[in-house]
Amino acid sequence: MSSPRKSEKIGRSFRDNDKEDREDEEKGGFVGKVKDFIEDVGDKIEEKVGFGKPTADVTAVHFPHINLKKAEIVADVLVKNPNPIPIPLIDINYLIESDGRKLISGLIPDAGTIHAHSSETVKIPVNLVYDDIKDTYRDINPGSIIPYRIKVDLIVDVPVFGRLTLPLEKKGEIPIPHKPDIDLEKIHFQKFSSEETIAVLKLRLENKNDFDLAVNGLDYDVWLSNVNVGGADLEKCAKIGKNGVSYMDLPITFRPKDFGSALWDMLRGRGTGYTMKGHVNVDTPFGAMKLPISKEGGTTRLKKNKEDGGSDDDNENED
């Protein structure tokens, strides 16, 4: 049987617990009321003054410049500020990945300010160096196209709302270009004299990429038997499908006497060593590119026109 003293302790304990529960409820109620009051004030300020959360979207991704070493990438981010005052862009975090693998990431601090009641495009420039990703991921090869996902976190500071992070992303494809392969298959004489010879180079151009090339011009220099016969900067149009081949006629003018005895070997139909270097300007689905072309240690044959006694059988190409 419980003693009166023990019952008194138990009763006091229950009363104390009830008191603490009431105090917690009162505190919770007070905190809740303060929170509701602050939110109510914020809503009224937002309603009266016109504050709102900014929005953003990655509207486009450009490739201003692409060569064999790197791709310059620019992401356009449209930011809309509905507020009556400017809002600062505190930081921009970006990440470009391919199939879940990180290609490049970075941070742009103090990225500017978005003016009141305006929409502005913020540009995020990125340089993607191909050697960096090819050294990391061995399955990424020249001539290929890889998928990408760009992720952007815009961190802004807005009155009433405080610091906000706006997460964005966009998907697309990035080319890893390969230089075209060239071969000087034969040389046609059009006019031959001891002072000046006009000829046409029959050039084979092979596209080593998984995307089309629309050739719109090229510059080149040619050496025959280690003699520079000059070159040209031409506007040429040709479309080469992915992994396809096209042929071009390139004019040259040279003086035969510069070759010495090597000229007679060429005229007898013997193989003539050549070197060719230059660039080809192309349009691609990813923008314009200027790709190098080069061939050293090649061998070609000279061919006269039929009216000069030449034969179509003289166009064999030696490698």
Side-chain angles (χ1 to χ4, degrees):
M1 185 174 182
S2 301
S3 65
R5 186 177 300 274
K6 186 175 182 180
S7 298
E8 182 180 351
K9 289 181 179 180
I10 295 174
R12 187 183 300 119
S13 175
F14 280 122
R15 286 194 298 272
D16 291 342
N17 289 340
D18 290 341
K19 182 178 180 182
E20 290 175 0
D21 291 341
R22 286 196 301 272
E23 289 177 352
D24 290 342
E25 289 177 0
E26 291 174 358
K27 289 180 181 179
F30 175 75
V31 172
K33 289 178 181 179
V34 171
K35 183 178 180 181
D36 292 340
F37 174 77
I38 293 174
E39 290 178 353
D40 184 57
V41 170
D43 291 339
K44 289 181 179 179
I45 292 176
E46 179 182 349
E47 180 181 349
K48 297 294 182 182
V49 182
F51 284 110
K53 294 181 179 180
T55 59
D57 182 40
V58 180
T59 56
V61 176
H62 308 282
F63 299 90
H65 183 69
I66 302 178
N67 56 33
L68 298 183
K69 294 183 178 180
K70 67 178 182 178
E72 294 179 6
I73 305 172
V74 176
D76 291 344
V77 178
L78 181 63
V79 185
K80 298 181 180 180
N81 177 19
N83 298 291
I85 61 173
I87 59 172
L89 287 175
I90 300 174
D91 289 320
I92 298 178
N93 291 301
Y94 64 85
L95 166 68
I96 299 179
E97 61 181 18
S98 178
D99 292 330
R101 301 181 297 185
K102 173 184 170 182
L103 301 181
I104 190 172
S105 63
L107 168 69
I108 303 175
D110 302 326
T113 301
I114 308 300
H115 295 91
H117 294 304
S118 70
S119 299
E120 298 183 28
T121 297
V122 178
K123 295 186 177 296
I124 303 176
V126 180
N127 282 330
L128 183 64
V129 179
Y130 293 130
D131 282 346
D132 292 345
I133 62 176
K134 287 188 290 186
D135 290 344
T136 305
Y137 308 116
R138 299 292 183 178
D139 59 324
I140 297 179
N141 299 311
S144 62
I145 300 174
I146 61 173
Y148 76 83
R149 182 200 302 264
I150 181 170
K151 296 181 179 180
V152 178
D153 284 340
L154 290 182
I155 303 175
V156 298
D157 195 358
V158 184
V160 178
F161 297 100
R163 183 169 295 194
L164 300 176
T165 298
L166 307 178
L168 315 169
E169 71 174 53
K170 194 174 185 66
K171 297 179 180 179
E173 292 181 325
I174 298 176
I176 313 294
H178 193 297
K179 73 175 185 177
D181 188 30
I182 61 171
D183 189 20
L184 188 56
E185 294 199 331
K186 55 181 176 281
I187 302 174
H188 276 281
F189 282 133
Q190 291 188 330
K191 176 184 176 183
F192 184 83
S193 72
S194 60
E195 291 299 322
E196 182 183 69
T197 293
I198 300 175
V200 175
L201 307 178
K202 298 293 183 177
L203 182 69
R204 181 181 186 272
L205 195 64
E206 182 179 359
N207 180 9
K208 308 286 285 186
N209 297 282
D210 291 336
F211 50 88
D212 296 345
L213 300 180
V215 179
N216 53 50
L218 73 159
D219 62 85
Y220 62 92
D221 277 288
V222 179
W223 290 259
L224 296 176
S225 297
N226 296 319
V227 176
N228 189 328
V229 296
D233 191 345
L234 302 176
E235 291 185 3
K236 287 283 186 178
C237 294
K239 184 175 181 180
I240 314 176
K242 62 179 182 179
N243 301 307
V245 175
S246 182
Y247 295 87
M248 293 184 179
D249 290 348
L250 306 180
I252 60 168
T253 301
F254 62 92
R255 298 187 305 174
K257 62 182 181 180
D258 292 337
F259 287 85
S261 60
L263 176 63
W264 305 113
D265 291 335
M266 288 189 286
L267 293 177
R268 292 189 184 101
R270 296 179 181 177
T272 302
Y274 76 89
T275 295
M276 186 173 185
K277 296 180 180 180
H279 297 85
V280 58
N281 299 317
V282 298
D283 290 323
T284 76
F286 308 96
M289 300 184 193
K290 186 174 185 177
L291 302 176
I293 53 174
S294 64
K295 181 70 174 286
E296 296 187 36
T299 303
T300 189
R301 288 184 181 273
L302 303 184
K303 178 181 181 297
K304 292 183 180 181
N305 288 334
K306 289 184 178 180
E307 56 268 25
D308 293 330
S311 169
D312 286 338
D313 295 334
D314 296 332
N315 61 3
E316 298 295 331
N317 185 49
E318 297 180 0
D319 292 319

